[in-house]
Amino acid sequence: LALALPLTTAQAPAEKAAVALGSVIPAPSEVRPGGTAFRLTDRTVIEAPRGSRNVAERLAEALRPATGYRLPIVERSSSRKISLRTGHRDGYRLTVGRDEIAISAGDNAGLFAGVQTLRQLLPPAIDAATPQRARWLVAGGEIVDRPRFAYRGAMLDLARHFHTPAEVKRYIDEISRFKVNHLHLHLSDDQGWRIQIDSWPRLTAVGGAPGTGVDGVGGGYLTKAGYRDLVRYAAERYVTIVPEIDMPGHVNAAQVAYPELTCDGVAPPPRTDTAVGYSSLCIGKEVTYRFAEDVIRELAALTPGPYLHIGGDEAHATSEADYVAFQQRVLPLVAKYGKTAYGWNEIDQAPAAADAVLQYWNLEPTVTLRHASKVVLSPANRAYLDMKYTPSTPLGLSWAGYIEVRTAYDWDPTSYVAERAILGVEAPLWSETLRDLDDIEFMAFPRLAAIAELGWSPHRDWESFRERIRAYYPRWETRGVDFYRSPQIG
Ligand code: TNX
């Protein structure tokens, strides 16, 4: 299978088909091509210590379908091999020679990142689901790589349209290839409630019923068992799930299920439109805090990761004094159950946000931190994957502008706030207009890859990114990912 890639190594004629060592997204920190290529054959083995068995399995699972090779996982071997090793280092190091591809890293997450690099160094046919005739060459040389920011995130809105666990898993597969290591799930909003809470069962019985969602299309929710399964699946790919329950606004679905959560005790009508900013919990009622604490406690118990997101955005139906009073009581509840509070940038109005992580979604080019000291950047006019690419994009919204691929790529996180305040970057995908996985993929790719590169790579170079994305297209095509073919990429 002769794949005409624009980026090839010019080392030896026999190695022409190898992908250039640096043609990887996100761009690695250091790339040193040289030496002999490695050829993957039916005799190649995967060598890994017992403690890295999970990474070895992910690697084998990535390579077996298209090669048709057995690729046994062993603890020691003198055969030609791909070896995984943990030791002392930040990030990972990948060396390719005639007899061995060696990936070493400080921990399994680092090894997994190295494995994602290796996948992109093989020809695109490696992503096929059935055996392909191909020379599985990897160009010789060395990559030394480490993340710029600890948090590289994506967000999926399950509330406006529910997306099934199978769809979420497919999304995890795709984002983890770009070394994204957090998936934030927006689990409640005015239109629906998507996570089982035992102490408030009507939240899902009513808020997750068929027909809950924008336009009354969809419905559904995650049971606790389904949620735990997602957390485990994500963890096997070194992705931490960050759950979000949005309060004190965006709560209409909860109030439909439990009218006592409104001030007058009257249930509002269910909503299937896309308006925002009209609902609020009742700040003066004690039941509000029983509700918040029960939800936070149950969610914390489902969450092995450090962060619990409590929303806090667009609370236009809550007065500023009430908003601060609410956050002063609720933010500490997150700590009470052992988690770091995380919320949209509005929570910074409350002094209790001092220990919280802010997610910055506003458009102003400067972030002013009043109380918090850590921020995840998601400026809506750069990082929002639900904004249309151009006026003619059939899906998405445009309130924050149009975001072509270059707009998503060409910005510097440190122009918003000092580097030491940045925990990372996240690309949110709100799903008012998105019903299925094809819709999600079309809006996410290639822009998610742009945000992932900003979060990981020390350098940013549009021309280089453009070429690497262009070279990546056959991989999405092979996997049936419905990405947007931007005229900017060519
Ligand atoms: C604003 S940005 C919202 C969401 C909408 C989104 C649509 C933010 C924190 N809240 O409620 O879904 O715009 O782009």
Side-chain angles (χ1 to χ4, degrees):
L1 189 91
L3 280 148
L5 282 168
L7 294 159
T8 54
T9 46
Q11 307 214 334
E15 295 171 21
K16 264 215 303 283
V19 175
L21 206 59
S23 187
V24 174
I25 304 166
S29 316
E30 296 164 48
V31 178
R32 286 185 280 272
T36 318
F38 180 90
R39 184 164 177 201
L40 193 68
T41 72
D42 57 358
R43 304 234 290 279
T44 306
V45 304
I46 296 174
E47 183 188 275
R50 205 167 312 155
S52 299
R53 177 87 197 184
N54 176 62
V55 188
E57 276 168 10
R58 297 288 81 75
L59 173 61
E61 178 176 284
L63 305 183
R64 282 173 186 152
T67 60
Y69 304 154
R70 275 181 53 237
L71 302 170
I73 300 171
V74 299
E75 278 179 50
R76 277 250 153 275
S77 172
S78 49
S79 318
R80 297 225 169 138
K81 63 194 173 191
I82 303 173
S83 64
L84 306 179
R85 268 175 232 141
T86 51
H88 304 283
R89 84 172 34 250
D90 203 20
Y92 69 90
R93 174 163 164 241
L94 185 151
T95 57
V96 184
R98 191 179 65 113
D99 298 326
E100 183 177 359
I101 295 178
I103 305 176
S104 61
D107 59 14
N108 287 330
L111 284 179
F112 183 80
V115 164
Q116 302 319 305
T117 295
L118 173 57
R119 296 172 81 178
Q120 291 187 44
L121 295 175
L122 282 155
I126 196 65
D127 286 344
T130 54
Q132 306 293 302
R133 277 172 52 82
R135 277 165 66 76
W136 304 110
L137 286 176
V138 179
E142 176 179 61
I143 290 177
V144 179
D145 199 11
R146 74 193 71 78
R148 178 177 187 193
F149 298 117
Y151 186 111
R152 285 100 46 206
M155 188 206 85
L156 201 51
D157 172 6
L158 301 197
R160 272 54 175 272
H161 281 108
F162 183 62
H163 308 295
T164 64
E167 291 175 316
V168 178
K169 287 179 181 176
R170 264 309 288 284
Y171 199 53
I172 291 170
D173 292 343
E174 290 300 324
I175 65 176
S176 61
R177 286 173 179 265
F178 296 116
K179 303 182 173 76
V180 168
N181 64 353
H182 289 80
L183 177 63
H184 164 186
L185 295 176
H186 184 73
L187 294 166
S188 72
D189 214 298
D190 290 315
Q191 300 87 344
W193 187 285
R194 309 302 182 193
I195 179 75
Q196 178 188 345
I197 301 293
D198 296 327
S199 51
W200 297 72
R202 289 172 55 81
L203 290 172
T204 47
V206 175
T212 53
V214 170
D215 301 328
V217 172
Y221 63 91
L222 297 168
T223 62
K224 285 194 171 174
Y227 187 84
R228 285 200 188 91
D229 179 60
L230 270 186
V231 167
R232 184 194 48 76
Y233 186 90
E236 285 173 357
R237 286 147 189 87
Y238 304 91
V239 171
T240 301
I241 300 281
V242 179
E244 177 191 350
I245 290 299
D246 206 345
M247 301 183 280
H250 292 276
V251 292
N252 194 71
Q255 293 174 324
V256 173
Y258 289 101
E260 61 264 47
L261 295 176
T262 65
C263 282
D264 61 10
V266 177
R271 297 282 292 254
T272 57
D273 59 295
T274 62
V276 296
Y278 56 83
S279 63
S280 176
L281 291 173
C282 190
I283 307 308
K285 274 186 164 178
E286 274 315 298
V287 65
T288 295
Y289 303 96
R290 280 203 302 279
F291 167 77
E293 181 156 1
D294 287 342
V295 169
I296 288 169
R297 185 185 64 250
E298 292 196 34
L299 215 49
L302 285 170
T303 302
Y307 307 113
L308 200 153
H309 201 304
I310 57 160
D313 58 315
E314 300 174 318
H316 309 316
T318 319
S319 74
E320 194 173 325
D322 276 358
Y323 183 87
V324 171
F326 175 84
Q327 295 298 1
Q328 287 299 99
R329 283 191 67 174
V330 172
L331 284 166
L333 293 174
V334 179
K336 175 174 174 185
Y337 293 101
K339 300 296 166 188
T340 299
Y342 185 15
W344 298 105
N345 53 240
E346 288 94 325
I347 67 167
D348 204 30
Q349 293 164 53
D355 303 317
V357 174
L358 295 191
Q359 183 165 17
Y360 185 76
W361 65 276
N362 288 173
L363 310 181
E364 290 76 43
T366 322
V367 181
T368 319
L369 297 174
R370 275 181 72 184
H371 301 290
S373 57
K374 281 285 176 199
V375 57
V376 169
L377 291 165
S378 303
N381 55 346
R382 298 287 191 176
Y384 267 31
L385 303 179
D386 65 314
M387 291 302 118
K388 291 174 181 290
Y389 293 94
T390 71
S392 59
T393 306
L395 302 167
L397 306 174
S398 58
W399 66 265
Y402 300 106
I403 308 183
E404 248 294 2
V405 180
R406 185 163 188 171
T407 305
Y409 183 78
D410 250 342
W411 60 282
D412 180 3
T414 58
S415 75
Y416 283 81
V417 64
E419 178 128 16
R420 73 187 129 73
I422 304 177
L423 182 61
V425 295
E426 180 176 298
L429 185 47
W430 301 97
S431 64
E432 284 94 332
T433 66
L434 313 178
R435 295 185 180 180
D436 58 24
L437 190 62
D438 281 348
D439 294 348
I440 290 170
E441 290 171 348
F442 183 78
M443 298 308 277
F445 305 113
R447 291 182 295 193
L448 187 278
I451 304 299
E453 179 147 307
L454 296 187
W456 178 279
S457 303
H459 2 263
R460 178 168 50 92
D461 176 335
W462 164 253
E463 212 30 63
S464 157
F465 180 73
R466 196 188 65 71
E467 280 178 35
R468 285 176 288 118
I469 280 288
R470 185 65 195 84
Y472 196 91
Y473 277 12
R475 298 178 192 271
W476 279 322
E477 285 162 357
T478 302
R479 303 201 290 275
V481 171
D482 190 21
F483 64 102
Y484 166 67
R485 284 156 210 274
S486 165
Q488 295 184 331
I489 305 296

